Amino acid sequence: MRKLYLKPNRSTFPCTIKACASLSDLNSGKQTHQQALIFGYEDDIFVSSALIDMYSKCGSLDDARMVFDEIPQRNVVSWTSMITGFVYNDCGYEALNLFKEMLVQESGICDQQEGEKNGFLDSVVIISVLSACARVGSVRFTEGVHGFAIKRYFCENTRVGNALIDSYAKCGEVGMSRMVFDEMVDKDLVSWNSMIAVLALHRFPVEAIEFFGIMTRISDLRINAVTLSSVVLACAHSGALQAGKAVHNQVIKLKLEDNVYVGTSVIDMYFKCGQVGMARRTFDRMKEKNVKSWTAMIAGYGMHGRAIEALDVFYEMNYTGVKPNHVTFVAVLAACRTAGLLDEGWHWFKAMQHKFLIEPGVEHYGCMVDLVAHAGFLTEAYDLINGMKVKPDIAVWGSLLAACRLHKNVQMAEICVQKLYELDSTNCGYYILLSNIYADAGRWEDVKWIREVIKDRGFAKPIGCSIVELQGRVHVFLIGDKVHPQHKEIYAYLEELMEKLHQSGYVPSMTSVPHDLEEEEQQMAVRIHSEKLAVAFAIMNSVPGTTIQVVKNLRICSDCHTTIKMITKIVDRKIVMRDSKQFHHFSDGSCSCEESSRPCKIGTTRVVTL
């Protein structure tokens, strides 16, 4: 029987090339390219566009650009393919430059099917260009494309609107993302998910939770795993436990608890809301666990100062055959740092390099510098920084600076501040810390000089805020807050508490307060801190015996720490506070951090060899 040979046509090659692209099979793609040349399809616009896409997805941009440059008459698809190829390979500026070139030659772009000039672009290229703007992080470029999209009526397209939301957000312009979202006529699930995620990721958790509430009330769209993961993240940032539990119920209702990404988000949320037991139960119920799930457990136990449990999870993770990654070791070292496990920290810092072949990054060094320095080995920590294989960042030098205050080493602190100034000359945080170190040492002239430097350079001191959730509502307090509807009652109740504290022997700590204020002004300066206001409000408005949850955006000051410890004894309440560094579990006049942060003696830690 005679064999039948069919000649490939103009539809065969694009399909074959797309298959090579989906498999990232560059060799087969090149062979197909050669066959297309043999059969005379080198000038076919559909074949050329498919080749550009294939070479781009296989990481061979030079070949993609060569094909593009050889196209005699480009249409919108070929331009879009090349722009998208640049975006796919993180070449945002090249994509934007090509878009500019496209606009210049727009009048010459030919619509091959109709054979006539087409002066209009399509929404696909606009979406690709906005993706390039997001990669570059340029507000100016995004605004330019936005204006162009308005002029050409592309903003009526929902996908273009979603791309604008994402691009503005990645440029740090959350307000512009919100404006685009508000002006969109047709919002799909991606629109809502994008805006909720933007608010959650940019630390606007209260607004993200509110958006989720609006979505569920006015939209008939079915929420999915992406929606719930974003809302759970917002609950984690704000410490909104009741809202988090409500979202978890939605997860269970939609049978998404087995989704490894959603489940991991729920674990993280419970830990950040102070519910260690709930986090563990969620983890134990998960049928599928990946490296992120295990890492979330290690990090969660670590942030609560429960390093032994964190390390037990790490050992169990390795026993089950899940390979740790660089984030896992950040969590392990952070747990050792929080609990002061010096020997164990050194062991795993070395093991990650020699046993797991993971080179330490700046986060790993930051944990070790913090651990070593807070144990009192400031010189060793300084030597560790100087021997880093990567450039030390603000967090690394900041850890050493904080330890300098703990161990009252003014000379080392001055070195740290100089290094920090070289990294970021606009940050006043380390100047404030140096001012506190000078104050601790009684060097008031230096304190005055630092205050003048901060004033002359126009530095803005970060504003402390504390968040507390009650009866499903999130309440935010600032220092000296008089905006809250109950502020008069809060201050009156706080006065009652302070009077009882004084009777119990409380003496205000003034280390961070300017010494040239009158004594009464100094006491008032620490009395109106946001965490004290949040705690007073929560006690007033909650059922006796219930645990109070507070989230603080900065480190809790020493006076507030002492005050809240004493309050727990006076009112017989447990208070859980999450500050920017760690969790503090206050109960019966004591705090968990005082036990967990005590450095271990050399040779007393438990190191398990894997």
Side-chain angles (χ1 to χ4, degrees):
M1 185 176 179
R2 237 176 125 182
K3 291 184 179 178
L4 180 65
Y5 292 95
L6 297 176
K7 182 181 178 181
N9 59 28
R10 70 195 306 258
S11 300
T12 307
F13 285 107
C15 293
T16 307
I17 293 166
K18 286 179 182 177
C20 296
S22 65
L23 295 171
S24 298
D25 189 345
L26 181 59
N27 289 331
S28 297
K30 286 186 174 182
Q31 290 175 13
T32 308
H33 187 181
Q34 289 300 316
Q35 290 293 315
L37 295 176
I38 292 170
F39 283 97
Y41 289 110
E42 66 271 16
D43 293 333
D44 188 280
I45 196 73
F46 297 104
V47 173
S48 298
S49 297
L51 284 168
I52 293 168
D53 178 67
M54 182 273 295
Y55 280 125
S56 298
K57 288 180 178 175
C58 291
S60 187
L61 273 180
D62 290 340
D63 287 320
R65 185 66 201 238
M66 182 182 69
V67 172
F68 177 79
D69 290 339
E70 291 177 353
I71 297 175
Q73 278 192 313
R74 300 167 189 151
N75 68 357
V76 68
V77 177
S78 52
W79 284 93
T80 304
S81 297
M82 194 65 241
I83 291 170
T84 304
F86 279 130
V87 174
Y88 185 84
N89 287 276
D90 287 324
C91 298
Y93 285 107
E94 290 84 348
L96 293 171
N97 287 333
L98 190 62
F99 179 62
K100 291 177 185 177
E101 185 181 336
M102 181 183 184
L103 294 180
V104 172
Q105 300 184 30
E106 182 184 1
S107 59
I109 297 175
C110 178
D111 186 318
Q112 183 134 331
Q113 289 182 326
E114 297 182 3
E116 60 183 18
K117 301 277 184 166
N118 181 5
F120 295 94
L121 308 179
D122 63 11
S123 60
V124 179
V125 70
I126 298 300
I127 292 167
S128 294
V129 173
L130 286 170
S131 296
C133 295
R135 300 290 178 100
V136 170
S138 169
V139 179
R140 182 170 61 87
F141 287 145
T142 303
E143 288 174 339
V145 179
H146 189 183
F148 181 85
I150 292 172
K151 184 179 178 181
R152 298 292 184 93
Y153 301 100
F154 285 121
C155 286
E156 296 176 3
N157 184 294
T158 301
R159 291 183 63 209
V160 172
N162 294 340
L164 278 166
I165 291 171
D166 179 67
S167 185
Y168 274 123
K170 287 177 179 172
C171 295
E173 295 292 328
V174 178
M176 288 299 294
S177 292
R178 174 70 186 267
M179 185 196 75
V180 173
F181 187 79
D182 288 340
E183 291 179 353
M184 288 177 67
V185 178
D186 296 316
K187 304 177 182 72
D188 61 9
L189 184 59
V190 175
S191 311
W192 287 100
N193 286 352
S194 296
M195 200 61 229
I196 294 169
V198 164
L199 292 168
L201 290 168
H202 285 80
R203 300 284 177 165
F204 293 99
V206 178
E207 292 84 349
I209 295 169
E210 289 174 352
F211 253 86
F212 176 66
I214 295 170
M215 174 188 176
T216 54
R217 285 197 303 273
I218 71 172
S219 171
D220 58 357
L221 295 169
R222 183 178 175 86
I223 59 178
N224 62 9
V226 177
T227 319
L228 294 171
S229 293
S230 297
V231 182
V232 168
L233 177 63
C235 296
H237 285 327
S238 65
L241 178 61
Q242 296 308 314
K245 284 182 175 179
V247 176
H248 189 193
N249 287 336
Q250 291 264 31
V251 170
I252 296 170
K253 182 180 178 181
L254 294 173
K255 299 180 180 179
L256 289 171
E257 200 170 24
D258 288 336
N259 182 299
V260 69
Y261 301 103
V262 175
T264 301
S265 297
V266 172
I267 291 168
D268 180 65
M269 179 272 294
Y270 277 127
F271 271 125
K272 288 179 178 174
C273 290
Q275 298 295 307
V276 177
M278 287 296 293
R280 181 76 213 201
R281 284 191 286 275
T282 302
F283 178 77
D284 289 340
R285 284 198 300 265
M286 289 177 66
K287 294 179 181 178
E288 179 189 352
K289 301 178 179 72
N290 63 10
V291 64
K292 292 183 178 180
S293 314
W294 288 97
T295 300
M297 285 299 298
I298 297 166
Y301 275 127
M303 72 175 70
H304 285 272
R306 295 167 65 165
I308 300 302
E309 289 98 323
L311 292 169
D312 283 343
V313 172
F314 178 59
Y315 302 142
E316 185 183 354
M317 171 188 179
N318 282 275
Y319 182 75
T320 58
V322 178
K323 186 178 180 180
N325 60 20
H326 74 284
V327 181
T328 309
F329 278 103
V330 172
V332 169
L333 296 177
C336 294
R337 174 193 63 192
T338 303
L341 302 179
L342 188 57
D343 275 0
E344 205 141 31
W346 272 121
H347 171 81
W348 291 118
F349 183 69
K350 294 173 182 176
M352 67 175 283
Q353 303 170 65
H354 303 306
K355 182 177 178 60
F356 296 92
L357 304 179
I358 297 175
E359 280 297 314
V362 69
E363 303 95 339
H364 305 102
Y365 280 110
C367 291
M368 288 307 301
V369 168
D370 200 5
L371 175 58
V372 174
H374 275 75
F377 302 105
L378 297 180
T379 303
E380 289 80 356
Y382 182 69
D383 291 340
L384 181 60
I385 294 175
N386 289 329
M388 284 175 60
K389 297 178 182 179
V390 292
K391 184 179 180 181
D393 64 1
I394 290 174
V396 172
W397 286 108
S399 294
L400 183 56
L401 179 60
C404 288
R405 184 184 185 188
L406 177 66
H407 297 287
K408 304 186 185 305
N409 190 320
V410 178
Q411 184 179 2
M412 184 75 77
E414 291 172 334
I415 295 173
C416 292
V417 168
Q418 180 58 42
K419 296 292 186 180
L420 286 162
Y421 180 79
E422 292 171 4
L423 290 169
D424 184 3
S425 60
T426 63
N427 190 330
C428 77
Y430 49 83
Y431 276 107
I432 293 170
L433 189 51
L434 180 60
S435 174
N436 294 336
I437 293 171
Y438 283 143
D440 291 342
R443 292 171 53 171
W444 299 110
E445 286 300 315
D446 289 320
V447 173
K448 182 180 179 182
W449 169 72
I450 288 287
R451 288 169 61 190
E452 289 173 354
V453 169
I454 293 173
K455 183 179 179 182
D456 292 342
R457 294 180 179 172
F459 290 149
K461 184 178 179 181
I463 299 174
C465 74
S466 296
I467 301 173
V468 64
E469 182 198 33
L470 281 178
Q471 298 174 351
R473 290 190 60 193
V474 176
H475 302 262
V476 181
F477 294 89
L478 303 177
I479 183 171
D481 201 329
K482 292 190 177 180
V483 177
H484 195 278
Q486 286 185 267
H487 73 270
K488 291 183 179 179
E489 295 93 330
I490 293 169
Y491 279 100
Y493 182 64
L494 189 56
E495 281 296 322
E496 292 179 23
L497 286 176
M498 298 307 293
E499 182 62 32
K500 293 178 181 177
L501 291 176
H502 282 293
Q503 293 173 4
S504 300
Y506 162 73
V507 178
S509 173
M510 305 299 177
T511 55
S512 60
V513 181
H515 76 289
D516 51 357
L517 295 178
E518 296 293 333
E519 183 178 352
E520 187 175 343
E521 292 176 311
Q522 289 182 334
Q523 292 193 23
M524 182 54 67
V526 294
R527 188 172 298 184
I528 60 176
H529 281 186
S530 64
E531 51 264 61
K532 290 190 179 78
L533 299 176
V535 166
F537 166 78
I539 295 172
M540 289 168 51
N541 291 278
S542 59
V543 178
T546 57
T547 300
I548 293 167
Q549 306 266 152
V550 180
V551 176
K552 175 78 185 289
N553 67 326
L554 304 176
R555 290 285 296 272
I556 183 173
C557 77
S558 59
D559 182 74
C560 286
H561 193 272
T562 301
T563 301
I564 295 172
K565 278 197 305 182
M566 297 182 72
I567 286 175
T568 60
K569 197 170 185 67
I570 290 172
V571 300
D572 192 24
R573 302 285 287 275
K574 291 182 179 179
I575 300 174
V576 179
M577 178 169 290
R578 187 183 93 206
D579 69 6
S580 62
K581 186 72 174 179
Q582 66 186 98
F583 267 88
H584 302 266
H585 292 258
F586 297 98
S587 178
D588 195 29
S590 63
C591 178
S592 60
C593 74
E594 293 171 331
E595 189 65 33
S596 65
S597 63
R598 187 175 300 140
C600 293
K601 295 180 180 179
I602 303 298
T604 62
T605 55
R606 178 183 63 115
V607 177
V608 177
T609 303
L610 298 176

